[in-house]
């Protein structure tokens, strides 16, 4: 029952209820009743609820200020309520909300799910656009705490073309042996440069060379803490939209593709080595550094290449209720029309219950950020807490 609930409980930046033991402990009852967040209505109908929270303390020193000023801030970076259900053997739904720090609660996911077979499923509504692993894993299923220091796709640009990696559209996804696919059509940029109302097309294709990754739908994780054994998965993803950048009357096209890989090796004693890497290439006719001449707000995206590499080692020995997982992550962004930027994150996860309960301490140094263009050269010390049910 736990595995079934995980497979139907969507998240993300993320609607999952995790891969680790002690997830929900749902008990099946013959009559409608609440047990571990799930209401059983009959043999084919049920509703489940859950929640996720990420909070942090961050101390940042801006190199441009010569180390004279340091900001200190407590923040609830993500607060999510999850709801999922099944109304027919082949028909399910997901409804999730998100509250970012300092913002109102808004709809994160609203999906009608027609799940016909492992090989062919159709989701319609507001959902994650197929993309690279870091966007498909979201903050709750990431390996590092500060993973968003690379250029992001259009649906992560604040609302004109979707938000928090989500957009309105339809996705067809499935599994064929060790091959996984997801392809979809979405609104993408609406208005502005896209006067012809062109759709955004997106896809992700992955092959599992060793054990299969096990996630709800077409989502991903950046670590399984050794719970699925040895993993080696390579994937290619893309997004493209005609008139997807620029301003009204002066539009340009956008195409981006990504190659990512995840390797997880389990050793004797429960020790786990995890390696994650990615190469990203964006082609945007208009960018932050070279906006169109026309007046008005430009929907400009990064143009150039970017890559990152992360290595982590989970010690199999319990220390109190959890295990330690130190990691290091390096990011480099290379715009075609601006200076290169980079950042290094050195961190330590204390994993209590997989992605459902962990603590994190990390230090980041560099000028890379999610725009892909160099920002201030800062160093930041962060302590974070993550829980889900």
């Amino acid at each position: 029952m736990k595995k079934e609930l995980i497979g139907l409980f969507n998240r993300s930046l993320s609607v999952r209820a995790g891969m680790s033991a002690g997830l929900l402990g749902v008990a099946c009852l013959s009559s409608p009743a609440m047990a571990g967040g799930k209401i059983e209505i009959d043999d084919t109908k049920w509703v489940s609820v859950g929640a996720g929270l990420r909070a942090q303390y961050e101390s940042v020193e801006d190199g441009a200020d010569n180390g004279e000023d340091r900001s200190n801030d407590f923040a609830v970076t993500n607060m999510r309520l999850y709801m999922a259900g099944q109304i027919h053997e082949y028909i399910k739904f997901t409804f999730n909300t998100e509250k970012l720090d300092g913002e109102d609660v808004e709809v994160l996911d609203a999906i009608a799910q027609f799940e016909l077979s492992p090989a062919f499923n159709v989701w319609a509504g507001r959902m994650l656009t197929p993309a690279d692993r870091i966007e498909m894993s979201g903050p709750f299923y990431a390996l590092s705490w500060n993973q968003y220091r690379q250029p992001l796709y259009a649906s992560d640009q604040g609302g004109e073309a979707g938000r928090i990696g989500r957009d309105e559209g339809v996705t067809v996804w499935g599994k064929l042996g060790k091959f996984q696919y997801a392809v979809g059509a979405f609104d993408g940029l609406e208005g502005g440069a896209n006067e012809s109302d062109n759709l955004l097309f997106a896809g992700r294709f992955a092959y599992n060379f060793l054990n299969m990754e096990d996630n709800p739908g077409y989502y991903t994780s950046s670590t399984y803490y050794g719970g699925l054994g040895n993993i080696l998965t390579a994937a290619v993803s893309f997004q493209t939209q005609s008139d997807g950048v620029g301003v009204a009357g002066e539009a340009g096209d956008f195409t981006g593709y990504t190659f990512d890989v995840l390797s997880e090796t389990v050793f004797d004693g429960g020790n786990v080595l995890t390696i994650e890497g990615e190469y990203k290439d964006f082609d945007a006719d208009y960018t932050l550094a070279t906006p169109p001449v026309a007046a008005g707000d430009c929907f400009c995206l990064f143009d150039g290449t970017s890559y990152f590499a992360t290595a982590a080692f989970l010690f199999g020995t319990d220390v109190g209720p959890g295990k330690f997982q130190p990691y290091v992550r390096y990011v480099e962004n290379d715009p075609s029309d601006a200076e290169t930027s980079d950042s290094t994150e050195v961190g330590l996860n204390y994993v209590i219950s997989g992605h459902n309960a962990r603590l994190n301490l990390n230090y980041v140094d560099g000028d890379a950020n999610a725009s892909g263009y160099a920002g201030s050269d800062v160093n930041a010390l962060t302590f974070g807490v993550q829980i889900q049910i």
Side-chain angles (χ1 to χ4, degrees):
M1 179 59 66
K2 181 179 74 173
K3 182 177 180 181
E4 177 191 10
L5 180 55
I6 292 174
L8 298 171
F9 198 40
N10 302 291
R11 39 176 167 114
S12 233
L13 208 214
S14 309
V15 210
R16 290 190 305 184
M19 301 302 302
S20 60
L23 179 58
L24 288 179
V26 174
C28 294
L29 302 180
S30 58
S31 59
M34 178 70 77
K38 186 173 183 180
I39 304 173
E40 299 279 358
I41 300 172
D42 58 30
D43 291 340
T44 61
K45 299 181 181 67
W46 54 263
V47 176
S48 66
V49 295
L53 174 71
R54 280 166 51 93
Q56 68 178 36
Y57 163 76
E58 185 177 50
S59 179
V60 180
E61 182 180 288
D62 189 337
D65 294 329
N66 299 315
E68 296 178 0
D69 296 323
R70 177 174 286 274
S71 64
N72 297 281
D73 183 55
F74 287 97
V76 175
T77 56
N78 302 90
M79 183 170 64
R80 298 181 175 182
L81 296 177
Y82 305 142
M83 178 178 289
Q86 178 172 293
I87 61 175
H88 181 273
E89 181 181 1
Y90 300 114
I91 304 175
K92 306 174 181 69
F93 72 88
T94 291
F95 182 78
N96 304 311
T97 64
E98 167 78 283
K99 185 183 186 303
L100 299 174
D101 186 43
E103 298 188 11
D104 294 332
V105 176
E106 64 177 60
V107 174
L108 182 68
D109 302 284
I111 314 170
Q113 303 163 227
F114 300 89
E115 302 190 354
L116 308 178
S117 72
F120 184 79
N121 306 274
V122 180
W123 288 5
R126 181 175 180 82
M127 71 201 82
L128 277 168
T129 55
D132 54 316
R133 184 178 292 273
I134 64 168
E135 295 207 43
M136 300 305 299
S137 297
F140 282 92
Y141 293 85
L143 174 58
S144 60
W145 190 263
N146 292 292
Q147 67 170 350
Y148 299 115
R149 294 184 179 273
Q150 282 190 289
L152 301 177
Y153 283 102
S155 56
D156 265 311
Q157 302 300 319
E160 293 177 80
R163 196 156 190 263
I164 320 177
R166 272 79 173 172
D167 198 3
E168 280 79 36
V170 60
T171 299
V172 178
W173 62 271
K175 302 178 182 179
L176 301 168
K178 292 195 171 186
F179 174 73
Q180 298 170 295
Y181 74 92
V183 292
F186 298 85
D187 284 334
L189 177 64
E190 292 189 280
N194 189 15
E195 296 178 287
S196 298
D197 201 23
N198 298 305
L199 294 177
L200 180 145
F201 299 98
R204 178 179 174 84
F205 308 95
Y207 189 80
N208 299 258
F209 292 92
L210 300 177
N211 293 341
M212 286 291 294
E213 293 189 54
D214 187 10
N215 298 288
Y218 54 94
Y219 299 144
T220 66
S221 294
S222 291
T223 179
Y224 299 93
Y225 306 110
L228 297 182
N230 295 331
I231 291 172
L232 177 60
T233 303
V236 175
S237 57
F238 75 91
Q239 290 188 18
T240 183
Q241 184 175 24
S242 297
D243 296 342
V245 291
V247 297
E250 196 171 347
D253 299 335
F254 170 75
T255 298
Y257 74 85
T258 307
F259 173 77
D260 62 70
V261 62
L262 176 69
S263 171
E264 195 150 90
T265 305
V266 181
F267 299 98
D268 292 341
N271 299 317
V272 183
L273 173 65
T274 304
I275 298 174
E276 181 185 17
E278 174 178 296
Y279 174 83
K280 181 176 288 185
D281 190 313
F282 278 9
D283 181 10
D285 289 349
Y286 295 117
T287 72
L288 294 174
T290 58
V293 177
D297 295 331
C298 173
F299 188 76
C300 292
L301 294 176
F302 174 86
D303 184 275
T305 61
S306 173
Y307 74 89
F308 81 83
T310 307
F313 191 84
L314 178 71
F315 291 95
T317 302
D318 288 332
V319 179
K323 297 179 173 66
F324 285 111
Q325 184 189 45
Y327 66 87
V328 60
R329 184 175 193 264
Y330 178 77
V331 175
E332 183 170 304
N333 301 324
D334 186 14
S336 60
D337 48 9
E339 296 295 322
T340 298
S341 63
D342 60 38
S343 82
T344 300
E345 177 179 350
V346 179
L348 178 66
N349 290 318
Y350 183 60
V351 184
I352 301 171
S353 180
H355 294 291
N356 292 327
R358 66 165 173 155
L359 309 179
N360 176 276
L361 180 67
N362 71 82
Y363 175 82
V364 176
D365 181 56
D367 59 353
N369 61 78
S371 74
Y373 292 90
S376 298
D377 190 359
V378 301
N379 62 75
L381 180 68
T382 304
F383 174 72
V385 177
Q386 173 176 310
I387 58 173
Q388 288 191 108
I389 184 171

